[in-house]
Amino acid sequence: MNVTQQGIAALMKSAVLQQPQLLPEGFEIQAAMPLVRRHHIAALAYDGAERCGLSRREPAMNKLFQAYCSSLLVSEGQEREISRIFAAFDENGIDYLPLKGCNMKALYPKPELRVMGDADILIRMEQYSRIVPVMESLGFEHKYESDHELVWKSPALEVELHKYLIPTYNRDLYAYFGDGWQLAVPSVGSRWNMTTEDTFVFLFAHFAKHYRDGGIGCRHVLDLWVYLRANPELDMGRVLSVLEELKLREFYENISRMLAVWFEGAQSDDRTEFLTEFIFASGSWGNMEQRVLSESVRSMQRSGLGRAGKLRYLWRMAFPPVEALQGKYPVLRRAPWLLPAVWLIRPVYKLLFERKSLARRKRVMDAMTRENLDTRQQMLQFVGLNYDQTSP
């Protein structure tokens, strides 16, 4: 880890423990700002920096303080909306299982240190006809439907109602998790939870999914460490057994060593250094080039055709499904049969108004060489990851 990376890890640890940590010699908060922004950890960085004694007079600290105040307001709005949804679901007998950030916020010393991009909640699809009027009564608007989610939005919160835990195109993980309800344990009211072990397995599988599909950020690394610290009684024998079944054990062992390097002062090795560099370079969710390369590697492994990913990418860009276009073209929500007309209009619109988008997509296509695909596959295998070998 370089000095900036070490410093950011120390700031995150300081915020989580609410105790000052020793910052590496030569660390400058101003130099860390681009990474702090890309990884959406401003609140963590400010809280940690203040505890570590960094002066509030520094311009970077002033910017972080403003971001912290913004995170505080956003977090309060998110918690308020989540409480309303859960209360309404309880009142109407609608089963729900909170996921990811909905659970992680409570494990941080202050909720604003774990602001969510959105709230993830597993639902039963057979109850969805009852869920729609409840969400509308709460002031939420349906935005679009993806492979595994139904997305609703209010001014304060975006909610992803999960049809199942893992997208179906992640076939190896979906084969294990399915819709997820077989792992659910009843809690209070209409709420369901997973066991501590199953929650961690899902948290880590979600982490691995994003890592291999294009990248994952520091915030999600911290989630793993926070969860493990909060659950020292975790039955690791069972966790490792499931991760072995999912072919994620080797990746977990590498990530576990990386966590020890970041937060426990352990000695690094080639794989932890590689993981660290990739994660810091990824930003919160990776980048388009890495996502497309990953899709190409998946296609190549499944079909044996090196060009399959590129062709699939081209097809998806030219003819996206109706769900992907409903946000930008709301008319498709009322009249999905207009999709072919939108397909015809989009190229003209992009040529006139979105030339930067076209240039970015060209750069992505140029990156999809056989050499880059092989490199991406080797990068995954080096840390213990691969895609399933099932037929498309």
Side-chain angles (χ1 to χ4, degrees), residues 373-385:
L373 293 176
D374 289 343
T375 299
R376 177 63 178 161
Q377 187 169 6
Q378 292 165 9
M379 289 168 60
L380 291 174
Q381 292 173 343
F382 181 64
V383 298
L385 283 175

Side-chain angles (χ1 to χ4, degrees), residues 130-153:
R130 294 164 53 198
I131 291 173
V132 170
V134 171
M135 295 297 289
E136 291 175 341
S137 71
L138 295 173
F140 283 82
E141 178 186 359
H142 178 252
K143 303 302 292 185
Y144 63 91
E145 178 178 355
S146 71
D147 171 83
H148 66 300
E149 299 161 334
L150 296 142
V151 180
W152 291 73
K153 187 174 177 61

